[in-house]
Amino acid sequence: MAASLSSTTHTATRPAARAAGPRTTGRLAALVADIRAAVGRGLPPDPTACLVGEKLAPHLGAPGLLTPGQCEGDPERYRQHLLHAEADGSFSLVALVWLPGQRTSVHDHVSWCVTGVHQGEEHERRYRLLPSDSPDGRARLIATEDVVNPQGSVCGFAPPGDIHRVWNGGSDKAVSIHVYGADISRLGSSVRRVYDLPADR
């Protein structure tokens, strides 16, 4: 099956546009082929994420995976580089580049997701949504786990139960590779919903 290999870039709040042509490394092309085979098995979201994580892990930290441009950050906000969007929309790869202190909102996702830390480390806080027991009828978020993901670490998840916040709590740039079971070139982002609710910070 033909794949659409692109290397478009956008900041975290702007939609991605298709690149004029393919731009990838040999190692990234090999990773895409491995992920295509895993996704092509047609398994449910959880085992698909597990298989994709197994394919991603050996490539993390490898110097030939990303081009220098795909590791560039943005001083205003974390930056997303679209690395690949499969032609049939079944999966996408992005590189997220985090300068120190940059973070996401509390959010969930449109699809299953696998993340791997390529450089530096990512901090993550995971949440559970509790129904309201207050007079104002507002639900709230309870923090369930705080995780520091160093270079080489991989985690995967599938909705529901995928609410989290991610940030760079270190003093150096961090780069992570994210694989989503959706067409990020069309959607622009993996975020389904941002949670503007009382939450454990």
Side-chain angles (χ1 to χ4, degrees):
M1 178 179 297
S4 169
L5 284 171
S6 60
S7 179
T8 57
T9 300
H10 70 101
T11 52
T13 56
R14 299 186 195 121
R18 290 256 185 208
R23 193 177 67 187
T24 188
T25 67
R27 186 161 196 133
L28 181 61
L31 172 58
V32 167
D34 287 345
I35 293 171
R36 182 180 297 123
V39 172
R41 293 179 62 178
L43 298 175
D46 282 327
T48 295
C50 184
L51 286 174
V52 169
E54 291 175 357
K55 301 301 183 185
L56 175 60
H59 296 275
L60 297 171
L65 183 62
L66 302 178
T67 67
Q70 292 163 347
C71 296
E72 291 180 357
D74 183 321
E76 298 299 320
R77 59 186 66 84
Y78 73 93
R79 188 173 189 183
Q80 175 175 290
H81 298 269
L82 179 64
L83 305 176
H84 174 84
E86 190 73 348
D88 64 3
S90 59
F91 70 92
S92 304
L93 279 79
V94 304
L96 296 187
V97 182
W98 316 77
L99 300 183
Q102 292 180 339
R103 64 177 52 217
T104 69
S105 57
V106 179
H107 65 281
D108 62 11
H109 307 84
V110 296
S111 70
W112 60 263
C113 175
V114 174
T115 67
V117 180
H118 182 59
Q119 175 184 329
E121 64 180 28
E122 258 185 12
H123 293 240
E124 179 187 11
R125 175 164 281 192
R126 300 171 184 171
Y127 296 92
R128 183 162 51 96
L129 183 64
L130 292 184
S132 171
D133 59 1
S134 64
D136 66 3
R138 233 178 152 197
R140 72 182 309 267
L141 293 165
I142 299 295
T144 59
E145 191 174 11
D146 284 319
V147 182
V148 178
N149 299 306
Q151 180 181 323
S153 64
V154 175
C155 64
F157 47 80
D162 59 324
I163 304 171
H164 71 167
R165 174 197 296 275
V166 182
W167 70 96
N168 180 356
S171 57
D172 299 315
K173 178 170 67 175
V175 180
S176 52
I177 308 297
H178 297 234
V179 187
Y180 301 109
D183 186 352
I184 301 303
S185 69
R186 180 178 62 82
L187 299 175
S189 170
S190 69
V191 174
R192 181 182 74 92
R193 176 182 173 188
V194 170
Y195 288 82
D196 182 20
L197 292 171
D200 297 336
R201 299 292 175 180

